[in-house]
Amino acid sequence: MQAEILSILPAGLAADNRYLVSELEKYNCRLLCQTQTEADPQTVIDAVQTALERSEMLFILCTPQNGEGNAVRGAVWQALGCQPALHEETWRRVQEYYAATGRDQADRSEQPAMLPAGATVFPNDHGLYPGCALAVSGKTVLLLPADEQELVPMFNQSVSVYLQSFSEGEMACVAVGLFGLTEQAITRRMVDLLYKENPSITMYYRDGEGILHVTARAETAELAQKMCRPVVEELQQRFAGNVYGIDVGSLQKYVVMLLQEKKMKIATAESCTAGLLSGRLTQVPGASGVFECGVAAYSAEIKHAILGVSQQTLDRYGAVSPQTAAAMAVGVRKTGGSDIGVSITGVAGPGESEGKPVGTVFIALADASRVWVKQIEKVGASVDREEVRSLATATALDLTRRYLEAYPAVMAGGELLAEQKEEAAIPEAAKQKRRTGLWWKLLLSALLIALLVGAFLFWIRHRTEPVREVTLDQLRGYYTADTDTGDKADQYPAGMQAQFYMLYDINPDICGWLSIDGTDINLPVMHSAVSDYYLSHDFNRKQSQSGVPFFASSADFSSPQAVNRSLLIFGSNNGKSDLFSSLEQYADLAYLQQHPVIEMNTIFENAKWKIFSVMVVSTLAEHDNNFDFKRDDFEDEFDFIEFVRALQARSLYTTSVSVQGGDELLLLTTTTDRFGFDGARIVIAARQVRKGESEASNLQTAQLNAGVIMPDIWQQMHTTTAPTASNGETLPTSEVTTTVTTTITRPTKQTEIELPFETEPFEPFDDPTDPPTDPPTDPPTDPPTDPPTDPPTDPPTDPPTDPPT
């Protein structure tokens, strides 16, 4: 069938119909041409009539703006020679949309519901004007929204079903919704599936959200649906926690559906997005039953006066901070009287704010007892303001989706509000409202409250095993104790392992347990929205100079399906044996060979990790070559492998442990003074043991990395003079082996060891997707046994029997 697309757009805008073009290929629609016209009635009439003369099927794309809908759609009806009438079901949905978006009664026109008699109507769940299809003089005309946020879900739910009648056989289409991956990353993961013809896969992508359409054609609809099923299951397996729903329409529609299902209400507070989040929610019919209020709070005054963000928080942390985002979410939940509050604050551009670059955004969600904060960073010279705002809005919806999917269990990673130092204040107006009619109840119950508090304090003081005061040995006992799960599972985050139940009861920030066999490391690992909270607090949330190991705040423990390609754990080096001080010993090859495997279990999964890199890095900006080892987000697998190569190039040793696409990484890091410069950190990188792979790791063939990349400050401290021959001439570097004397400093003593560094550079794997899995069969050639008569002195032929202390 010959088809044409006619786009009616305001002057200055260009049509982008890539999505519709790709979809039409499935329905035997041969696209003749694409035309565009301005929203002038007579011009529209002429364009429609001309298109009908040359095409069998006409797609008219139009999203009326600023009240022009009546004129434009009226011109389309006139060109088609049909008389519109009020469509009752559409009018009901339009009224619902008006109510959700707060329109005045005077503005509630019936025109969006005026449709030709006999037309097939396509409901619009994300906008005001519905779509429709009708037959005109043997031709088929479809009037659809031009805005892809409205078009894509409408096409998937309604238009695709209508077009099936023009195709041979029966069709089935399943939509898989994704969030949190780049378009390139999605394509890379399913590149082998894109070449399938039946079922076929097409993708629509926008602002972090991807919708994969799996379409099959068969003799019957049931058979076509059956053909789609294994492909959909394969996509679910490949994208795991990034899948937000199957055939749910859109992210905001799914969130509204979950709110209705859980009988919960939401309120929003937005700074840099100024109402985009509330707008997306209220586009969905039925949102008025779950949406309480939306506050656009750009100024600090509004954040303080309406949302109750304390002036101390604003002055100390700034408007763009995790603390302010958390306070905004808490405040809007209280002000709106909703079950959850969601906030967005950040820098959308065009310039930076408070010293933070464009693209820095903090998103928070709060319920009655906890708050979760997520940070996104979209930096670079080409960052677009609207792109930042759209991504922030979509991320807020996804955070809400994850919370609601876990409810009534508690989503992992939140901060208890009772423990926050700077709790958002309730606005004075809200306080006065709540005090009305309650003051006498408070007076009458004051005595009872005092008695209860006294009894509670007495119990806290005299109980034999305090709940909030536990030692490290007690924690280890709780972790290894047999737990009678019984009916407890529904009290914890969905999918949480029972071994963490007792720890979670004491502190819900627990998200992992770390141990290295034969070492002193056997510790809980925490996770907080405030990135460095556990740097100065212990498991009991008390001030501590040593803190407790903790995951980077960007780690995702919201559900068992969440994927963390690179998990980073920080820990203090207090010079003792109870935290991360043992990591310093990995600067000795013998220690690495004795302890090559890490056990790090999260609240959702037990796993072993094989060490492949031991690095020394600098965290000070003034030291050039300060490598960013904290990355946990990758564009695609090639980007991931490049990061792995960088880890290998900076490793003190080369090992036989391979890393390939699809692997997950674990990095442990702490400060060190063994390398003699400020800002030094030691970083241990490992990759997760693969399914079916042996957990053992033999690193006896590991050796010093001849081309290791060290921080420039270290290179400057250990520069050696080029050796000379007996005649005084400088020897070419290709003829010598340079010996570097490294000074390793400890708090108690200093040891000097000589490390040989050959001049050949370090060569990472040639093929990043298929690195060698077998260790080299031959050991490295020993250095010459006879020293030259002139300096420098060659390294000893035999390694020292004892590792440096």
Side-chain angles (χ1 to χ4, degrees):
M1 179 173 291
Q2 295 178 337
E4 179 172 338
I5 299 175
L6 171 62
S7 300
I8 305 174
L9 297 172
L13 294 182
D16 182 2
N17 300 321
R18 286 175 294 178
Y19 169 79
L20 183 58
V21 171
S22 66
E23 290 297 313
L24 293 183
E25 295 175 358
K26 305 174 186 175
Y27 301 95
N28 296 328
C29 294
R30 186 167 66 89
L31 190 62
L32 286 178
C33 62
Q34 300 182 59
T35 56
Q36 180 175 333
T37 184
E38 295 181 7
D40 172 71
Q42 188 56 51
T43 305
V44 170
I45 292 173
D46 295 339
V48 171
Q49 292 177 342
T50 301
L52 282 176
E53 292 176 0
R54 61 190 175 212
S55 303
E56 299 173 278
M57 180 175 286
L58 175 61
F59 293 85
I60 303 175
L61 302 184
C62 170
T63 301
Q65 302 289 337
N66 302 324
E68 67 185 12
N70 301 346
V72 171
R73 290 171 78 93
V76 171
W77 307 143
Q78 183 177 343
L80 299 177
C82 55
Q83 185 65 36
L86 185 68
H87 189 265
E88 292 295 341
E89 175 59 22
T90 299
W91 175 232
R92 183 190 64 77
R93 296 173 67 92
V94 168
Q95 287 180 305
E96 203 170 76
Y97 181 87
Y98 283 147
T101 53
R103 297 282 190 92
D104 293 335
Q105 188 66 36
D107 297 333
R108 300 186 179 188
S109 169
E110 294 181 351
Q111 286 301 321
M114 300 296 289
L115 299 167
T120 299
V121 179
F122 307 131
N124 188 349
D125 288 340
H126 301 85
L128 180 59
Y129 288 86
C132 68
L134 63 157
V136 179
S137 302
K139 308 291 182 74
T140 302
V141 180
L142 292 90
L143 182 62
L144 304 173
D147 187 343
E148 284 193 342
Q149 287 196 3
E150 300 178 26
L151 173 63
V152 173
M154 180 186 294
F155 193 98
N156 182 50
Q157 296 168 32
S158 305
V159 181
S160 60
V161 178
Y162 175 82
L163 292 178
Q164 287 180 23
S165 61
F166 297 92
S167 304
E168 296 180 1
E170 296 291 335
M171 294 182 66
C173 183
V174 180
V176 180
L178 306 176
F179 185 80
L181 295 172
T182 64
E183 186 173 7
Q184 295 83 355
I186 295 174
T187 303
R188 295 281 189 193
R189 288 198 196 179
M190 63 172 191
V191 65
D192 57 315
L193 301 177
L194 293 175
Y195 297 100
K196 293 181 176 291
E197 294 185 357
N198 192 25
S200 62
I201 301 177
T202 57
M203 177 174 65
Y204 164 74
Y205 184 89
R206 180 172 178 174
D207 303 326
E209 183 179 354
I211 299 179
L212 307 180
H213 289 158
V214 180
T215 306
R217 182 179 287 107
E219 294 180 358
T220 65
E222 291 77 12
L223 181 58
Q225 191 71 32
K226 185 177 180 180
M227 292 171 64
C228 289
R229 194 173 304 130
V231 179
V232 172
E233 291 174 354
E234 176 67 20
L235 291 173
Q236 287 180 292
Q237 181 176 355
R238 293 191 187 190
F239 294 103
N242 295 108
V243 176
Y244 69 73
I246 306 297
D247 282 336
V248 296
S250 66
L251 195 48
Q252 61 263 34
K253 185 177 181 182
Y254 185 47
V255 167
V256 170
M257 183 186 75
L258 286 173
L259 287 166
Q260 294 169 332
E261 199 174 274
K262 309 281 185 174
K263 294 180 172 55
M264 299 177 71
K265 294 191 176 184
I266 187 173
T268 61
E270 303 175 64
S271 182
C272 63
T273 51
L276 288 179
L277 175 59
S278 59
R280 285 188 65 171
L281 287 169
T282 55
Q283 284 177 352
V284 182
S288 58
V290 296
F291 182 78
E292 288 288 18
C293 71
V295 178
Y298 259 68
S299 70
E301 290 77 9
I302 296 299
K303 291 181 176 70
H304 176 64
I306 303 299
L307 299 178
V309 181
S310 72
Q311 194 60 49
Q312 183 182 1
T313 296
L314 293 169
D315 293 341
R316 181 177 180 182
Y317 302 108
V320 182
S321 65
Q323 293 82 4
T324 296
M328 289 171 63
V330 172
V332 79
R333 189 195 71 81
K334 292 180 178 180
T335 301
S338 59
D339 298 287
I340 57 175
V342 180
S343 69
I344 302 174
T345 181
V347 186
E352 66 176 29
S353 176
E354 300 179 350
K356 298 179 178 68
V358 175
T360 303
V361 181
F362 295 95
I363 297 155
L365 182 149
D367 60 14
S369 58
R370 290 180 174 86
V371 62
W372 293 259
V373 181
K374 185 176 182 62
Q375 178 180 357
I376 60 174
E377 290 182 321
K378 191 170 183 64
V379 297
S382 60
V383 174
D384 177 75
R385 174 179 172 82
E386 292 308 313
E387 186 180 5
V388 172
R389 284 153 50 92
S390 297
L391 179 60
T393 304
T395 304
L397 287 169
D398 186 66
L399 179 63
T400 308
R401 182 267 301 186
R402 292 175 183 271
Y403 173 89
L404 293 170
E405 283 182 338
Y407 187 85
V410 179
M411 183 171 68
E415 281 283 324
L416 281 172
L417 292 178
E419 299 291 339
Q420 288 185 328
K421 288 186 175 181
E422 304 207 24
E423 184 178 353
I426 306 175
E428 189 59 37
K431 289 182 180 179
Q432 183 61 39
K433 180 179 179 181
R434 294 186 180 189
R435 283 196 296 263
T436 302
L438 295 178
W439 62 268
W440 58 273
K441 294 182 181 179
L442 295 175
L443 291 174
L444 292 176
S445 56
L447 180 59
L448 178 59
I449 292 174
L451 291 172
L452 290 174
V453 170
F456 176 75
L457 292 176
F458 179 84
W459 175 73
I460 286 289
R461 186 171 182 177
H462 291 86
R463 59 183 176 168
T464 58
E465 186 175 304
V467 174
R468 298 298 299 183
E469 296 293 332
V470 289
T471 65
L472 183 56
D473 286 339
Q474 285 177 311
L475 291 176
R476 290 168 176 163
Y478 293 157
Y479 179 68
T480 56
D482 292 333
T483 304
D484 181 15
T485 59
D487 298 327
K488 293 182 178 180
D490 59 353
Q491 303 173 20
Y492 301 93
M496 174 181 275
Q497 300 193 90
Q499 66 209 56
F500 286 95
Y501 285 177
M502 296 177 70
L503 302 176
Y504 187 87
D505 287 337
I506 303 169
N507 188 339
D509 284 351
I510 181 72
C511 278
W513 191 277
L514 175 71
S515 62
I516 302 178
D517 191 32
T519 75
D520 298 314
I521 296 179
N522 184 20
L523 304 162
V525 188
M526 316 305 288
H527 183 237
S528 171
V530 180
S531 58
D532 58 353
Y533 180 83
Y534 284 102
L535 187 64
S536 58
H537 292 77
D538 62 15
F539 188 90
N540 301 306
R541 292 177 171 266
K542 287 198 167 186
Q543 286 286 340
S544 166
Q545 291 184 347
S546 300
V548 66
F550 59 95
F551 291 103
S553 59
S554 56
D556 188 356
F557 297 103
S558 57
S559 71
Q561 291 75 37
V563 177
N564 294 285
R565 296 302 304 279
S566 181
L567 277 172
L568 177 61
I569 300 178
F570 294 91
S572 294
N573 180 355
N574 59 2
K576 302 177 183 178
S577 61
D578 56 348
L579 286 175
F580 268 18
S581 304
S582 299
L583 293 186
E584 280 194 303
Q585 298 185 56
Y586 276 103
D588 304 328
L589 178 56
Y591 191 86
L592 169 65
Q593 292 170 334
Q594 294 166 8
H595 310 288
V597 177
I598 300 168
E599 181 175 355
M600 200 286 292
N601 303 326
T602 71
I603 55 175
F604 299 123
E605 178 186 25
N606 292 338
K608 298 285 184 68
W609 309 74
K610 296 184 177 183
I611 299 174
F612 67 89
S613 174
V614 177
M615 299 173 288
V616 178
V617 300
S618 173
T619 57
L620 299 184
E622 58 265 31
H623 298 167
D624 292 338
N625 195 22
N626 53 329
F627 173 58
D628 180 15
F629 61 91
K630 300 185 291 294
R631 289 191 58 193
D632 59 2
D633 184 28
F634 307 98
E635 292 290 327
D636 49 37
E637 292 306 306
F638 286 92
D639 187 29
F640 173 78
I641 291 298
E642 285 302 313
F643 178 67
V644 171
R645 282 181 168 180
L647 298 178
Q648 292 170 323
R650 287 162 175 78
S651 177
L652 299 176
Y653 319 109
T654 59
T655 74
S656 58
V657 177
S658 66
V659 185
Q660 60 191 27
D663 282 340
E664 296 181 19
L665 306 182
L666 172 69
L667 280 73
L668 313 180
T669 182
T670 191
T671 57
T672 178
D673 57 8
R674 291 188 67 173
F675 292 84
F677 62 90
D678 293 337
R681 298 191 73 90
I682 191 164
V683 182
I684 314 300
R687 63 105 171 132
Q688 187 172 354
V689 173
R690 301 170 192 139
K691 186 177 181 180
E693 179 188 18
S694 170
E695 294 181 349
S697 180
N698 186 351
L699 296 186
Q700 296 307 309
T701 58
Q703 57 185 315
L704 294 170
N705 177 8
V708 59
I709 300 175
M710 296 288 285
D712 286 0
I713 182 64
W714 188 93
Q715 300 284 3
Q716 295 167 13
M717 295 167 57
H718 299 83
T719 301
T720 59
T721 305
T724 58
S726 57
N727 60 4
E729 295 181 357
T730 301
L731 292 175
T733 56
S734 60
E735 298 178 9
V736 300
T737 297
T738 304
T739 300
V740 179
T741 300
T742 304
T743 301
I744 299 181
T745 306
R746 284 191 175 185
T748 56
K749 64 179 181 178
Q750 176 174 302
T751 304
E752 292 190 356
I753 59 173
E754 293 185 345
L755 302 177
F757 285 80
E758 296 180 358
T759 56
E760 296 179 1
F762 171 73
E763 294 290 344
F765 299 129
D766 293 331
D767 184 358
T769 62
D770 189 21
T773 56
D774 298 323
T777 56
D778 298 322
T781 304
D782 289 334
T785 57
D786 297 326
T789 56
D790 296 322
T793 303
D794 286 337
T797 57
D798 297 321
T801 56
D802 297 319
T805 57

